[in-house]
Amino acid sequence: MTDSESRQPSIEKLVAQRSDATGLDHEGFVDWLIRDTVRAMTVEEKRDTQKHAQTFAEQLEARLAAERIMKEMPVMHLYDIPAPVVGRVREVFPIAASLECVPLIDSRVAAGEGRELLDEEAERWIEFPLGNSAAGHVALHVSGASMSPFLENGDVIVVKLGARVTINDIIVARRPDEGYVVKRVKEITNSRLKLTSLNPRSRSFDIPKDLSLVLGTVIARFRRTA
């Protein structure tokens, strides 16, 4: 560690000195406070801490977002059953809905090949009472840890089909030529959707604001528990 680094207070300490504990539970406030703290630094302090400040801001924002979303969408125990009728998802929607179930697609989000998910066959269903609206929902396995701690590898999510999205929604979208992913909507512009992970070690990216690329919004999460 250099002498400059040993004298330099961390961005975490600088932020803490300028806020109280209640101020660090809102992503927008934290983002403003960090930017304002950096503006107040000397030129030398900015040079030494700017990169670290950005990393800290992204990690804190991701943690706060994950905590908020987990409170809004508690994890539920997974009950899955053999499908009484095996067929393409779009064809078995009405039957599954009548039994208060949602078809479970075997293909894993974030590891797909871009094919049409609703044309997959569902050999298992999950019990999830949604009434008649269940016909507009599908269940998917999650692959990877990019949305940890909200979603873990092997979790199952229920997706409400439809392309209408708002900022902070958790959605399933298709990256052109790559496959399906589950991400948080961070920004929406006239032409792009900026999607981000809840695991700060995973990178954010943009996709075209194309309704055909959005499968739907995540409304529930399931995990097999002991």
Side-chain angles (χ1 to χ4, degrees), residues 143-201:
S143 176
S146 69
M147 293 296 284
S148 176
F150 173 63
L151 295 173
E152 302 294 347
N153 185 51
D155 283 356
V156 169
I157 53 176
V158 169
V159 179
K160 181 180 180 181
L161 302 178
R164 186 177 182 275
V165 298
T166 59
I167 291 176
N168 287 324
D169 281 350
I170 305 297
I171 68 169
V172 173
R174 182 166 57 84
R175 297 189 73 179
D177 303 320
E178 291 189 37
Y180 289 92
V181 295
V182 55
K183 299 293 177 185
R184 179 171 71 102
V185 180
K186 185 172 183 178
E187 293 179 16
I188 302 175
T189 69
N190 290 334
S191 60
R192 311 289 294 179
L193 293 177
K194 183 173 183 179
L195 305 181
T196 187
S197 302
L198 293 177
N199 183 338
R201 289 174 292 184

Side-chain angles (χ1 to χ4, degrees), residues 26-106:
H26 187 277
E27 296 115 284
F29 174 75
V30 169
D31 182 63
W32 170 84
L33 182 59
I34 290 172
R35 286 187 283 106
D36 191 62
T37 299
V38 172
R39 281 197 296 268
M41 291 178 178
T42 66
V43 173
E44 182 179 358
E45 287 173 336
K46 287 181 180 178
R47 183 180 62 248
D48 291 341
T49 65
Q50 190 168 26
K51 183 176 181 180
H52 178 60
Q54 180 63 32
T55 300
F56 171 68
E58 291 173 354
Q59 292 175 342
L60 185 56
E61 180 192 23
R63 178 176 64 80
L64 292 173
E67 291 176 354
R68 173 180 53 78
I69 295 167
M70 286 191 291
K71 289 180 181 178
E72 295 172 353
M73 200 184 306
V75 66
M76 293 183 282
H77 179 70
L78 177 63
Y79 293 98
D80 60 318
I81 62 172
V85 177
V86 176
R88 294 194 306 167
V89 170
R90 66 174 74 251
E91 296 171 347
V92 301
F93 272 143
I95 303 172
S98 70
L99 297 175
E100 296 191 321
C101 291
V102 176
L104 174 59
I105 297 175
D106 189 52

